[in-house]
Amino acid sequence: MRRLIALSLVMLLLSGCAVGPNYKRPSVNVPGTYRGAMPSEATQPAAESLGDQKWWEVFQDKQLQDLIYTALQQNYDVRIAATRILEAQAQVGITRADQLPTVSAGAQSVDQRTPRTKSFPQFESSAHQVDLSLAWELDFWGKYRRATESARANLLATEWAREAVITTLVGDVAAAYFQLRELDLELEISRRTLVSRQDSLRITQMLANGGATSMLDVRQAEQLVFTAAETIPDLERRIEQQENFISTLLGNNPGPIARGTKLTEQPHAPEIPAGLPSSLLERRPDIRQAEAQLIAANAQIGVAKAAYFPQISLTASGGYQSSALTSLFSGPAGLWSFGGSLVQPIFAGGRIRSNVKFTEARQQEAALVYQQTIQQAFRGVSDALVEYRKDREFREQQEQLAFSAQDAARLSETRYRGGATSYLEVLTNETNYFDAELGLAQAQLNELLALVRIYRNLGGGWQEQ
């Protein structure tokens, strides 16, 4: 008995070893700068990054901040991700329990009477027993510790997955809100243009009635009115549908959305600091999630390799047994047992070897996914940076185009009223001005959407208040 206890203690002391590889972060090719960064950062990247800022610092429209906050509280994707964290936490507890002994208690009471037969007399018996049993499979080779390591890494991956959902949600709400404000701007332009063209149509009709112009000019003026009028119901439809989409992001039923700052007044810096590319590995939730999944897959190799080695188990039980309840805990009624077992797999048809190869392949796959995620992250940041810079340049040119088209429309209207040109010139320039105004609204939206993409690709947005 003493030898068995001593052997068990030695095994427990040696149980610090664990088979399987320890995790080591794979080497990745990190560029020195982002392609598409502003010239000052292309030569010397700044330590600060837009991705380090909180979402309420980047999106300063108070109404937009309220929408994002509501979405973070009520959005179903965020709530589903939170429940998955609870599942992963419970799974860690289940897996970790395998490292500990199981203790169970039992009680049994049996009264039995056997009737008399030709060969045997009548017989009555009573047996009462209470006992406490213990079973423990020693984690000598680290199988359960590796499994717990894998479960904890999966929990971490689930937590980072929730942060990735939050990052996506913040970007989606901001982008949807900017698109809604752009539609509002288009509707404002269309209604203003319609009123102006209706006034111009009335003047043209008066001139035609007085014989100063022809019905052709009236019909051309009507075309301008109808062109502006037809855009209004379509824009109203798109606005309501966009409001319904935002309501869904907020976790609400379809309904109206409150507005804040106009699209043209949304604050955003002309130059965006991207920061050090190496910091992206620690900031982006999807990269951290992929690495946690790699850690989990790496630990599973140890679980699989532990099956090559013997399983060492200890069992013990103790209690009382008596034929009468009154003497169950008195007299010579005690019982106990203690034992150990060792089971060494000899032949399993290649199952263990195949399982090791399977876990190694899963680990290699996870490593490739981790490296691919990093590469895609660098591309996403570079694409967003060049998109923001070029969208800003396009918007500046579109502003000049809209100003020129506005002046051309004004001059052609003056020339027409002075009899120096036909209404066809007015029609052409008014159409060009209307299209230029709508194009400028779209250009302003694209610049803001590019800002949202930069922030999302830099891994910003998951920071909590």
Side-chain angles (χ1 to χ4, degrees):
M1 181 67 181
R2 288 194 297 270
R3 292 176 181 175
L4 186 58
I5 294 176
L7 179 61
S8 301
L9 292 175
V10 172
M11 291 180 176
L12 289 174
L13 292 175
L14 294 176
S15 62
C17 65
V19 298
N22 293 322
Y23 173 73
K24 182 180 179 182
R25 176 179 286 184
S27 59
V28 294
N29 182 18
V30 179
T33 58
Y34 293 111
R35 184 183 185 188
M38 57 184 182
S40 58
E41 281 206 338
T43 56
Q44 187 64 36
E48 66 274 6
S49 171
L50 180 70
D52 293 324
Q53 298 182 25
K54 308 297 189 296
W55 57 261
W56 55 91
E57 297 172 346
V58 177
F59 307 118
Q60 299 178 17
D61 186 329
K62 184 61 173 62
Q63 188 56 49
L64 175 57
Q65 292 176 355
D66 292 342
L67 294 176
I68 294 176
Y69 182 77
T70 301
L72 294 178
Q73 300 298 317
Q74 300 180 176
N75 180 267
Y76 281 100
D77 288 334
V78 175
R79 292 161 65 182
I80 291 171
T83 58
R84 287 173 180 164
I85 292 177
L86 298 178
E87 294 173 10
Q89 289 174 340
Q91 187 60 50
V92 171
I94 294 171
T95 306
R96 185 175 53 199
D98 291 333
Q99 301 180 54
L100 305 175
T102 58
V103 181
S104 58
Q108 183 178 7
S109 179
V110 178
D111 292 318
Q112 185 176 3
R113 179 178 181 275
T114 303
R116 184 183 63 178
T117 63
K118 292 181 179 181
S119 303
F120 298 96
Q122 175 180 312
F123 177 78
E124 293 183 3
S125 64
S126 295
H128 309 283
Q129 178 178 332
V130 293
D131 58 43
L132 190 69
S133 61
L134 177 145
W136 191 5
E137 182 177 341
L138 300 179
D139 192 21
F140 188 72
W141 313 110
K143 176 177 68 174
Y144 296 130
R145 277 174 287 130
R146 289 296 191 191
T148 303
E149 178 186 348
S150 177
R152 283 175 175 158
N154 283 325
L155 170 60
L156 185 60
T158 307
E159 291 173 345
W160 281 113
R162 176 179 177 272
E163 309 299 356
V165 170
I166 290 176
T167 297
T168 301
L169 178 62
V170 169
D172 287 346
V173 173
Y177 178 77
F178 291 148
Q179 289 169 341
L180 178 63
R181 298 306 281 141
E182 191 273 337
L183 291 173
D184 291 338
L185 180 57
E186 285 193 27
L187 182 60
E188 177 186 339
I189 293 171
S190 297
R191 287 174 173 170
R192 184 181 69 243
T193 302
L194 176 61
V195 172
S196 175
R197 290 180 177 181
Q198 286 174 337
D199 292 340
S200 179
L201 175 60
R202 282 194 292 269
I203 295 174
T204 306
Q205 288 174 334
M206 292 173 57
L207 292 175
N209 294 336
T213 188
S214 66
M215 280 302 296
L216 177 61
D217 291 345
V218 175
R219 294 292 179 254
Q220 289 174 335
E222 289 176 344
Q223 292 178 35
L224 290 176
V225 171
F226 299 150
T227 301
E230 69 178 3
T231 62
I232 292 177
D234 183 63
L235 286 170
E236 291 174 340
R237 172 190 63 82
R238 293 168 61 190
I239 286 173
E240 286 197 30
Q241 291 177 339
Q242 188 69 12
E243 287 181 322
N244 294 341
F245 174 65
I246 295 176
S247 298
T248 303
L249 291 177
L250 302 184
N252 295 330
N253 290 325
I257 299 298
R259 270 65 157 184
T261 306
K262 292 182 177 181
L263 182 76
T264 55
E265 299 173 359
Q266 293 291 334
H268 57 285
E271 300 289 348
I272 300 298
L276 298 172
S278 57
S279 64
L280 193 66
L281 305 183
E282 304 299 328
R283 190 190 308 114
R284 273 193 55 145
D286 57 340
I287 295 178
R288 300 296 297 272
Q289 178 188 0
E291 184 176 18
Q293 291 171 338
L294 173 58
I295 296 173
N298 186 79
Q300 284 297 323
I301 297 177
V303 176
K305 286 186 174 181
Y308 279 123
F309 302 97
Q311 299 178 4
I312 304 171
S313 302
L314 299 178
T315 58
S317 64
Y320 296 91
Q321 183 178 13
S322 176
S323 59
L325 286 174
T326 56
S327 60
L328 181 60
F329 298 102
S330 63
L335 60 89
W336 62 268
S337 67
F338 184 85
S341 65
L342 184 148
V343 179
Q344 170 64 52
I346 297 176
F347 178 76
R351 180 188 300 273
I352 298 176
R353 181 176 64 255
S354 297
N355 191 39
V356 171
K357 290 182 178 179
F358 173 77
T359 55
E360 290 175 342
R362 291 290 297 270
Q363 188 269 349
Q364 293 171 9
E365 177 187 359
L368 293 173
V369 169
Y370 171 66
Q371 294 170 328
Q372 182 187 47
T373 303
I374 293 174
Q375 190 178 72
Q376 290 174 343
F378 288 142
R379 178 196 169 185
V381 173
S382 297
D383 287 350
L385 287 173
V386 69
E387 180 182 6
Y388 182 74
R389 188 174 71 251
K390 294 304 178 181
D391 281 346
R392 185 180 70 251
E393 294 175 3
F394 181 85
R395 187 258 307 161
E396 292 170 351
Q397 296 299 319
Q398 192 70 26
E399 286 177 344
Q400 297 181 18
L401 174 62
F403 176 78
S404 177
Q406 180 185 27
D407 197 48
R410 180 186 61 82
L411 291 174
S412 62
E413 181 72 20
T414 303
R415 281 164 51 83
Y416 171 72
R417 294 186 180 183
T421 186
S422 67
Y423 202 83
L424 179 60
E425 180 179 305
V426 176
L427 174 65
T428 301
N429 286 290
E430 282 286 345
T431 302
N432 291 341
Y433 175 47
F434 184 54
D435 292 341
E437 278 196 297
L438 297 180
L440 177 58
Q442 185 64 47
Q444 292 166 332
L445 170 64
N446 290 339
E447 187 175 359
L448 289 172
L449 293 181
L451 173 67
V452 174
R453 294 188 186 98
I454 291 177
Y455 188 55
R456 179 187 299 171
N457 280 282
L458 286 174
W462 54 268
Q463 300 90 340
E464 297 181 359
Q465 283 182 319

